[in-house]
Amino acid sequence: MAKDGKNTVAANKKVDRSKMHTIQDAVMAVKAASFAKFDESVDLAVRLGVDPRHADQNIRGAVILPHGTGKDVRVICFARGEKAKEAEAAGALEVGAEELVKKIQDGWFDFDKAVATPDMMAVVGRIGRVLGPRGVMPNPKVGTVTMDVKGAINAAKAGQIEFRVEKEGIIHAGIGKASFSPADLAENVSAFVGAILKAKPSGTKGTYLKRASISSTMGPGIKLDVATISD
């Protein structure tokens, strides 16, 4: 079995991995345990008391993080005519219709988000099997299939992230960078958890928010006190 490196061992000693933390204490611990030479991403994992096999419990949505993700989001848009011009003016990386679909079919994937007008979905559907597994298929439930392409592009660039519960009942998301201030990270965590709570299905029984943890790319997981984050 491979041994942990000295930096990992040192990081683990800085935190109590058995303790339940408030959001504020957790982000402080994450920052204290961050040791990589690059600006590590900060990730949140939440286990929910839902069964995604049931359609009404297959939770998904989107939320704009107050302080963004720390990433430069590259957005493409499937649109024609005036909406294509609107998307270009909003700063979309690429805008097009069939020609953009063909470019992606040929292997181009240098983008992070895709937006489409409703009339383009028949065309976009041709590459659904390619975009879906990468998490970039436009979807009206998260606001990426819309006539307001300017608003959707601006939201993506401002730090909007999408979330969807996995089959194990877990939601993962990147909620910032280790270089963010503790206050900014805490506000991003609160906004994300708030969106998950808002998405709670009305028919859910038992404990909805079961467990949660936060960590940097290389750092240890920090347990969150779900009672306090639910508040």
Side-chain angles (χ1 to χ4, degrees), residues 144-162:
T144 49
V145 177
T146 176
M147 291 301 290
D148 182 16
V149 294
K150 178 181 178 181
I153 292 169
N154 287 340
K157 288 179 170 292
Q160 182 185 64
I161 59 171
E162 299 175 18

Side-chain angles (χ1 to χ4, degrees), residues 136-147:
V136 292
M137 182 68 180
N139 190 301
K141 292 183 178 180
V142 294
T144 49
V145 177
T146 176
M147 291 301 290

Side-chain angles (χ1 to χ4, degrees), residues 25-68:
D25 288 343
V27 297
M28 290 290 288
V30 166
K31 288 179 66 67
S34 176
F35 61 83
K37 294 181 179 180
F38 61 91
D39 191 7
E40 298 178 62
S41 294
V42 177
D43 302 307
L44 180 67
V46 181
R47 179 178 288 278
L48 302 177
V50 299
D51 185 349
R53 292 176 297 179
H54 299 294
D56 64 332
Q57 296 184 46
N58 193 6
I59 297 167
R60 70 182 305 168
V63 58
I64 296 179
L65 299 179
H67 303 285

Side-chain angles (χ1 to χ4, degrees), residues 77-120:
C77 182
F78 297 95
R80 294 190 178 99
E82 290 301 316
K83 288 300 173 181
K85 294 179 182 178
E86 182 182 320
E88 290 172 354
L93 176 66
E94 291 277 346
V95 182
E98 286 83 0
E99 70 279 9
L100 183 52
V101 168
K102 177 64 165 57
K103 185 173 182 177
I104 293 171
Q105 287 175 327
D106 289 342
W108 180 73
F109 300 106
D110 295 333
F111 59 93
D112 306 299
K113 292 261 188 174
V115 173
T117 53
D119 59 295
M120 287 299 304

